[in-house]
Amino acid sequence: MLYIVGLGLGDERDITVRGLDAVRRCAKVYMEAYTSLLSLGLDPASLANLEKMYGKEITVADREMVEEHADQMLSEAVDAEVAFLVVGDPFGATTHTDLVVRAKSMGVEVKVIHNASVMNAVGVCGLQLYRYGETISIPFFTETWRPDSFYEKIQNSRRLGLHTLCLLDIRVKEPTLESLCRGKKVYEPARFMTVNTAISQLLEVEELHGGSAYGPDSLCMGIARLGSDDQKIVAGPMKKLLDVDFGAPLHCLIIVGETHPVEQEMLEFYMIK
């Protein structure tokens, strides 16, 4: 049996009772650590907190392990109970759908235990969940790679008056291009995109396309550490959010569409004064 267990968004206490029961009866426990992270991070002390709470030793699974060497974990699940822990909800990332497909093709039974994710917890900002268009991801730009395929998706949602949730890039244990060329992997320092960087890149793309999908005066909401005790939510024009210190990761951004009067009332609570 392979249990894919959602951990929620805050800290080790956000796991469900059902999820905790499953983890405690597993012979091996893995924790995915590249599509998202709990607010407590993954330093040795934080990992020790997780292991103490769950009563199990945890193996941290990076992108390379999950995408290239998952067969080892799945082979263990053929004869034993194995848990794969995912921050948020198990199906918040397509990688985990692929894992289920691979498990089933090997004859491994899969049980999914859900939890809160950014996709529903973002409702705390007051914007109605059914008034969102397509969710987009914004990657870090480099000198030679500045993708902007998300622009058309934002534009389509804006035309329909819908809000756009922007998920911001996380780079954990990513090999440098130079090291890949040399055939010996050297990893970049961990990086987490801020609301400020996301807005700066969005404005650059708008200037390039000139399609008036949004601009410096467009209303947005920046959110940091969603689901944690110290979460931060600030609403205002893009140009003003550029100067807000949102603090530690993880961050996400909402480009606000047309608003209902109740949504507008909630927005006022978070508006830059």
Side-chain angles (χ1 to χ4, degrees):
M1 172 78 78
L2 174 67
Y3 291 95
I4 305 182
V5 182
L7 297 182
L9 297 170
D11 57 28
E12 70 275 9
R13 298 168 299 170
D14 282 3
I15 191 170
T16 64
V17 173
R18 190 158 160 256
L20 187 58
D21 287 345
V23 170
R24 285 178 172 169
R25 64 173 172 262
C26 285
K28 197 76 181 281
V29 179
Y30 294 89
M31 180 172 178
E32 185 263 284
Y34 65 90
T35 62
S36 190
L37 293 174
L38 289 173
S39 61
L40 48 75
L42 266 183
D43 57 83
S46 299
L47 193 59
N49 286 340
L50 288 169
E51 292 178 331
K52 182 179 178 181
M53 171 77 178
Y54 302 159
K56 290 287 181 178
E57 183 178 336
I58 297 172
T59 301
V60 176
D62 57 24
R63 181 188 296 275
E64 185 178 328
M65 178 186 168
V66 177
E67 295 186 349
E68 298 176 24
H69 307 294
D71 287 349
Q72 175 191 334
M73 177 177 68
L74 297 178
S75 296
E76 293 169 347
V78 171
D79 301 312
E81 292 186 310
V82 174
F84 183 68
L85 311 182
V86 178
V87 175
D89 185 78
F91 292 117
T94 53
T95 296
H96 309 135
T97 305
D98 177 64
L99 189 64
V100 172
V101 171
R102 292 163 73 177
K104 287 184 177 292
S105 68
M106 291 175 63
V108 174
E109 188 177 352
V110 178
K111 185 167 286 187
V112 177
I113 301 175
H114 295 282
N115 209 319
S117 79
V118 63
M119 304 297 287
N120 57 9
V122 76
V124 72
C125 74
L127 300 178
Q128 297 168 1
L129 291 177
Y130 57 82
R131 292 190 51 76
Y132 280 81
E134 187 171 353
T135 298
I136 67 161
S137 296
I138 302 179
F140 278 112
F141 286 177
T142 69
E143 290 183 6
T144 57
W145 188 66
R146 308 177 92 76
D148 57 8
S149 58
F150 53 76
Y151 182 80
E152 186 178 353
K153 296 173 183 178
I154 297 173
Q155 197 169 40
N156 290 338
S157 293
R158 299 280 284 174
R159 284 173 182 153
L160 295 170
L162 302 175
H163 315 307
T164 303
L165 173 61
C166 309
L167 304 179
L168 310 187
D169 203 1
I170 299 171
R171 298 189 65 80
V172 179
K173 202 178 178 184
E174 296 283 350
T176 64
L177 180 60
E178 184 179 327
S179 72
L180 288 174
C181 294
R182 291 179 176 177
K184 186 176 181 180
K185 290 182 180 178
V186 175
Y187 298 100
E188 300 175 357
R191 288 196 297 159
F192 307 94
M193 184 179 287
T194 63
V195 167
N196 320 79
T197 298
I199 290 175
S200 179
Q201 292 188 179
L202 283 167
L203 291 174
E204 178 185 321
V205 171
E206 174 57 51
E207 189 173 345
L208 177 67
H209 284 264
S212 300
Y214 52 82
D217 293 315
S218 295
L219 181 60
C220 290
M221 301 188 81
I223 303 176
R225 300 171 300 284
L226 180 63
S228 301
D229 290 338
D230 66 341
Q231 73 179 12
K232 184 170 186 172
I233 304 174
V234 183
M238 281 188 172
K239 62 186 179 186
K240 288 193 175 182
L241 292 186
L242 276 172
D243 298 323
V244 174
D245 180 3
F246 284 90
L250 299 173
H251 295 186
C252 63
L253 176 72
I254 301 167
I255 303 172
V256 180
E258 295 173 8
T259 53
H260 182 277
V262 175
E263 290 180 306
Q264 194 60 44
E265 285 185 69
M266 284 291 287
L267 273 170
E268 292 301 324
F269 289 119
Y270 301 116
M271 198 71 71
I272 293 177
K273 299 296 186 285

